[in-house]
Amino acid sequence: MNTLMPVKRTSIKLAMYMFIALVCTVLIGNSIWQMWKTHDMAMRAGDVAAGNLAQAMAQHSGDTLKAVDAAIISVMDRLEQDASYMQQREKLTLSLKREMDNLPQLKFMTAIDGDGKVMASSSPDFTQISELERDNFTYHQTHTEGKWYISKSAKVIQDGSWVFLMSRRLNQKNGDYAGIVLAHIDVDYLLKYFNSINLGKKGSIAMLADDGTLVLRRPLIVGALGKKYINSPIFREQIAATSSGTFTTVSKIDRIERIVGYSRLEQFPLIAVAALSREEVLEGWRSSVIVQIIGNAVLIIILLIFGGVIVRQFERQLQAAAKLSQLSAIIDSSEDAIIGESLDGIITSWNAGAEKLFGYRADEVLDRSSKRLYADGDVIASSARLSSIVKGERVNHFEVTGLRKNGEKIQLSVAMSPVHDGDQNVIAASTIARDITERKQMDNMKAAFISTVSHELRTPITSIRGALGLLESGALTELSPKALQLVRIAHNNSKRLTGLVNDILDMEKITSGHMRFEIQRVDLTALALQAIEANTGYAQERQTSYILTEYPKSAWVMGDTDRIMQVFANLLSNAAKYSPEHEQIEIRLKYRDDIFKIEVEDHGAGIPEEFRPRIFGKFAQAEEHGEKNLGGAGLGLNITKNLVETMGGSIGFESEPGVRTVFWFTLPAAAQRGGDL
């Protein structure tokens, strides 16, 4: 049976994946057919749109030109009926202006005689014809049968606007050439209408003459205006052959593929052309295709995931069971006590390590309170940490006194972690306890040894320091300069050794809990001034000075006077060590939220980033600042931190390399702590 299980699982997988492959094939085939169908519909819609736009342009342009032609004919009738009109410039000008008033599509109208001179114009600036008008003048001079002539569009030099010209021939009574009546049609007037048509960003419009001449185009390409496309296969076989239609082509001007619609004007030899970018026509189709592809891809992925989930579910259950068995074996084989607790302190699990450590069998402690595992003095502490677990906080190692089944007390290092359910809610606690009784005994022996050695060293060092001090002062005998220098070096080193012994003794007292504190109400401002005065000599040796720049008249705090002075001494001496010569060290006292904050600022090299996490640790050496060792064993800041925190305050620093360093500590105001003492 075990041999057949893998074969069955493989068969299930194969059948599921074959089914999914079939469904995916159907989906992909249907998507391809839908894409082809909607593409064809989009192209047909583009053809219809281009054709409709061209017809609308042709209708609008035809109506515009009809109105202009009617105005030209009206002026010509007056001139042909009354020959004296040609000599009456003011009267003729008035007639031209009257026709202009009703035609916003015109820039101006002009009458030109058979010699090419301006008889009259609605524009006072137009006094002689240019190359633009000469094209129309020459055409009518050589074509007696022509009704009208429409030129290509061009730029007017005077105001920079674009126009194209429409004109008719004037004849004398005997049929000889008498000149032309000319209208300058404003291209912008037509474009206002054309621009209201949605052609897209890459669409274009154009107007062609019957002979293939490009009259106007937008977007404007100046070099193409006036060019004849009569020999173009598209013009010859498509545009010139029928009155309207559509086709697809790639423009030789800008290389864009467009769907082109064209329509011939009814009364004029012009053809309106509207072109839509094929890319923009298919833009909506592409969007729908992308949505369809994404939808099908998501569906295929869901199918794959669904099939995979079903096949793997059984395997996961087996793996979970194996992992649970392995985890249980690891817990049972651990030398540490691993205990599960409910949130109200009831023991729910008990490993072999716990049985060995406490002496209880599992059936003796399960479903019972964990308070029996701790000595009376530490039950409350354990319960308080369980309250932190309820909040989802991890409790790092803390030390308590444990209680064995036989009543023997043991020293424990305990860590507690919250246990979460699938919704990340805290449902239980996991406790790991380790016996540190032997280690604590070793620590106590080490502390006792250090204390003994330090005490034994203090008396001879004090005697040596006193004797060297007398020799240095010259009270006993006068020494040679070389001997005096050696005595001075020895005296300084004895001072350092005394400080080291004192620091070690302080560390031992703090660690063992034997350092005495007499907490009382003291004036921090007065202590700061005393500390400055007491340490001024040391600052002068370093060629610097202290200044109290900001402080209240009185700052009453709760603390131990001697310990506060010791904190001041450590911070002030450190600032003097690392401050440049002739730079003042600033001390500030600030009050906020029932807390007094003391700041000591120097302008030395600052504290490197890599040294900052260890600066309050034991034996952190000042030479790590990148400077020479200026003395000390690296215990001062660690001792200072312990003193401040024991008095209920906090300590920290801020540093800008090469600019400044500020060490600060806080103490509670007397009003806050007064009720507790």
Side-chain angles (χ1 to χ4, degrees):
M1 177 129 181
N2 292 337
T3 307
L4 293 176
M5 284 297 292
V7 177
K8 289 183 178 179
R9 287 205 296 266
T10 302
S11 299
I12 294 171
K13 280 185 180 180
L14 183 60
M16 179 62 70
Y17 289 143
M18 287 179 65
F19 173 74
I20 292 173
L22 178 61
V23 174
C24 292
T25 302
V26 172
L27 286 173
I28 293 171
N30 181 66
S31 297
I32 294 173
W33 181 79
Q34 288 290 339
M35 284 188 283
W36 174 83
K37 183 179 178 181
T38 53
H39 177 274
D40 188 54
M41 292 174 61
M43 290 298 294
R44 285 202 299 270
D47 285 343
V48 172
N52 290 341
L53 291 175
Q55 289 180 8
M57 289 172 55
Q59 181 66 41
H60 181 269
S61 301
D63 292 344
T64 299
L65 294 179
K66 284 178 185 178
V68 174
D69 189 42
I72 292 174
I73 291 173
S74 176
V75 174
M76 289 181 62
D77 287 345
R78 291 187 180 91
L79 289 172
E80 290 177 351
Q81 291 173 8
D82 186 357
S84 65
Y85 242 72
M86 293 188 181
Q87 283 74 39
Q88 300 179 39
R89 184 183 183 92
E90 292 183 1
K91 193 173 182 181
L92 181 56
T93 300
L94 184 62
S95 178
L96 293 172
K97 288 182 177 180
R98 193 160 44 242
E99 296 295 336
M100 281 280 298
D101 289 341
N102 299 320
L103 299 174
Q105 61 264 46
L106 293 182
K107 294 286 288 184
F108 53 88
M109 293 181 67
T110 305
I112 300 172
D113 63 20
D115 296 327
K117 296 180 180 178
V118 177
M119 291 186 288
S121 175
S122 62
S123 172
D125 297 330
F126 192 81
T127 58
Q128 60 182 11
I129 67 174
S130 64
E131 291 297 324
L132 178 63
E133 293 81 18
R134 190 170 300 281
D135 184 31
N136 291 59
F137 180 82
T138 303
Y139 175 85
H140 288 298
Q141 196 174 33
T142 56
H143 293 74
T144 58
E145 74 286 354
K147 292 182 179 180
W148 56 70
Y149 178 71
I150 297 175
S151 72
K152 67 178 182 179
S153 57
K155 192 174 184 179
V156 179
I157 298 176
Q158 287 85 343
D159 61 5
S161 62
W162 284 81
V163 298
F164 65 93
L165 311 182
M166 182 177 181
S167 58
R168 278 182 175 268
R169 173 185 169 113
L170 277 173
N171 292 320
Q172 296 179 0
K173 290 184 177 181
N174 59 5
D176 291 341
Y177 183 49
I180 60 173
V181 177
L182 183 70
H184 289 68
I185 301 173
D186 189 358
V187 170
D188 286 338
Y189 176 82
L190 293 177
L191 290 179
K192 285 179 182 178
Y193 172 74
F194 296 160
N195 290 339
S196 68
I197 301 172
N198 184 15
L199 296 170
K201 295 180 180 179
K202 297 181 180 179
S204 66
I205 57 173
M207 194 77 75
L208 295 169
D210 271 351
D211 61 358
T213 303
L214 183 64
V215 176
L216 63 84
R217 186 186 189 278
R218 285 296 183 273
L220 175 66
I221 299 178
V222 176
L225 294 177
K227 186 175 180 180
K228 292 189 176 183
Y229 294 91
I230 192 168
N231 293 322
S232 167
I234 292 177
F235 183 84
R236 187 172 62 251
E237 298 170 10
Q238 186 78 37
I239 298 177
T242 57
S243 61
S244 63
T246 60
F247 59 91
T248 301
T249 184
V250 177
S251 172
K252 293 181 179 180
I253 297 174
D254 54 18
R255 311 307 301 172
I256 295 175
E257 185 176 4
R258 292 185 173 91
I259 301 172
V260 181
Y262 61 93
S263 181
R264 191 178 300 277
L265 276 66
E266 288 184 3
Q267 298 182 7
F268 300 95
L270 295 173
I271 303 165
V273 179
L276 302 176
S277 165
R278 183 177 183 274
E279 179 183 347
E280 292 178 341
V281 167
L282 294 177
E283 205 169 76
W285 171 79
R286 288 193 189 92
S287 298
S288 66
V289 167
I290 291 171
V291 171
Q292 187 176 9
I293 290 173
I294 292 173
N296 287 333
V298 170
L299 184 56
I300 290 170
I301 291 170
I302 290 173
L303 287 172
L304 292 172
I305 293 173
F306 178 72
V309 167
I310 292 176
V311 174
R312 287 194 296 268
Q313 188 64 33
F314 180 66
E315 295 177 351
R316 286 180 178 174
Q317 289 177 354
L318 291 177
Q319 291 172 358
K323 287 182 179 178
L324 185 60
S325 177
Q326 183 182 17
L327 180 60
S328 178
I330 291 172
I331 291 174
D332 283 337
S333 63
S334 174
E335 291 294 326
D336 291 333
I338 302 177
I339 305 166
E341 296 182 59
S342 64
L343 296 181
D344 53 359
I346 301 301
I347 298 173
T348 57
S349 65
W350 186 263
N351 76 331
E355 184 174 334
K356 181 179 178 182
L357 179 61
F358 291 99
Y360 291 103
R361 298 190 312 274
D363 60 346
E364 294 178 301
V365 292
L366 289 177
D367 298 327
R368 291 177 173 82
S369 175
S370 61
K371 292 181 180 179
R372 65 171 58 193
L373 305 179
Y374 304 102
D376 293 339
D378 288 323
V379 169
I380 297 176
S382 178
S383 299
R385 287 175 170 84
L386 192 59
S387 299
S388 299
I389 294 296
V390 174
K391 300 175 185 177
E393 301 171 358
R394 177 182 174 85
V395 179
N396 292 325
H397 290 279
F398 63 96
E399 296 180 2
V400 293
T401 301
L403 196 63
R404 293 182 189 272
K405 180 181 178 180
N406 60 9
E408 179 187 353
K409 292 184 178 180
I410 51 175
Q411 296 300 312
L412 300 175
S413 174
V414 180
M416 301 179 72
S417 302
V419 177
H420 300 87
D421 62 10
D423 297 325
Q424 295 302 307
N425 297 315
V426 179
I427 58 173
S430 174
T431 301
I432 300 176
R434 177 175 295 177
D435 185 358
I436 58 169
T437 304
E438 186 176 345
R439 193 191 77 189
K440 293 291 290 183
Q441 290 173 351
M442 293 296 295
D443 288 343
N444 291 336
M445 289 173 62
K446 180 180 68 175
F449 173 76
I450 292 173
S451 177
T452 301
V453 172
S454 299
H455 278 291
E456 293 300 325
L457 285 174
R458 177 180 283 181
T459 301
I461 290 173
T462 303
S463 300
I464 293 169
R465 181 178 172 185
L468 290 172
L470 289 172
L471 286 172
E472 184 181 2
S473 66
L476 298 178
T477 183
E478 186 174 349
L479 300 174
S480 66
K482 186 173 182 179
L484 182 60
Q485 179 65 20
L486 292 174
V487 169
R488 186 173 290 122
I489 293 172
H491 190 205
N492 288 336
N493 285 331
S494 68
K495 289 180 182 178
R496 289 180 59 191
L497 192 55
T498 301
L500 177 59
V501 170
N502 288 335
D503 285 346
I504 292 174
L505 284 172
D506 285 341
M507 284 300 304
E508 186 273 330
K509 289 178 183 178
I510 291 171
T511 304
S512 62
H514 293 155
M515 178 169 279
R516 293 176 56 81
F517 285 84
E518 294 183 6
I519 304 297
Q520 56 185 344
R521 190 168 180 265
V522 296
D523 186 354
L524 193 59
T525 301
L527 292 182
L529 293 170
Q530 291 176 29
I532 291 173
E533 183 178 355
N535 288 274
T536 295
Y538 184 81
Q540 289 175 349
E541 290 179 12
R542 301 287 178 174
Q543 299 187 41
T544 184
S545 60
Y546 304 114
I547 180 171
L548 188 61
T549 59
E550 181 181 343
Y551 59 95
K553 184 176 180 181
S554 61
W556 295 101
V557 298
M558 298 306 296
D560 184 298
T561 300
D562 293 336
R563 303 309 172 198
I564 294 174
M565 290 297 288
Q566 190 173 351
V567 170
F568 268 119
N570 281 336
L571 295 184
L572 293 178
S573 62
N574 270 358
K577 281 182 186 179
Y578 299 106
S579 184
E581 294 181 358
H582 311 300
E583 285 280 354
Q584 282 190 326
I585 296 164
E586 300 176 18
I587 298 98
R588 296 182 289 270
L589 271 65
K590 300 178 180 179
Y591 175 77
R592 183 178 179 183
D593 298 332
D594 294 329
I595 293 291
F596 280 100
K597 183 178 183 181
I598 301 89
E599 297 178 350
V600 179
E601 178 177 342
D602 68 70
H603 300 280
I607 304 170
E609 286 286 345
E610 63 275 9
F611 180 63
R612 295 180 186 184
R614 297 180 289 112
I615 196 165
F616 288 110
K618 294 179 182 178
F619 305 106
Q621 292 295 325
E623 62 188 14
E624 296 189 41
H625 287 62
E627 304 175 6
K628 64 181 181 178
N629 191 340
L630 299 177
L635 293 172
L637 287 178
N638 182 267
I639 293 171
T640 301
K641 183 175 186 296
N642 279 282
L643 294 177
V644 170
E645 291 177 351
T646 302
M647 290 186 289
S650 59
I651 189 169
F653 67 93
E654 302 166 6
S655 183
E656 298 177 53
V659 180
R660 69 183 188 118
T661 298
V662 179
F663 275 90
W664 55 265
F665 68 95
T666 65
L667 289 172
Q672 180 175 343
R673 293 286 300 276
D676 298 336
L677 299 176

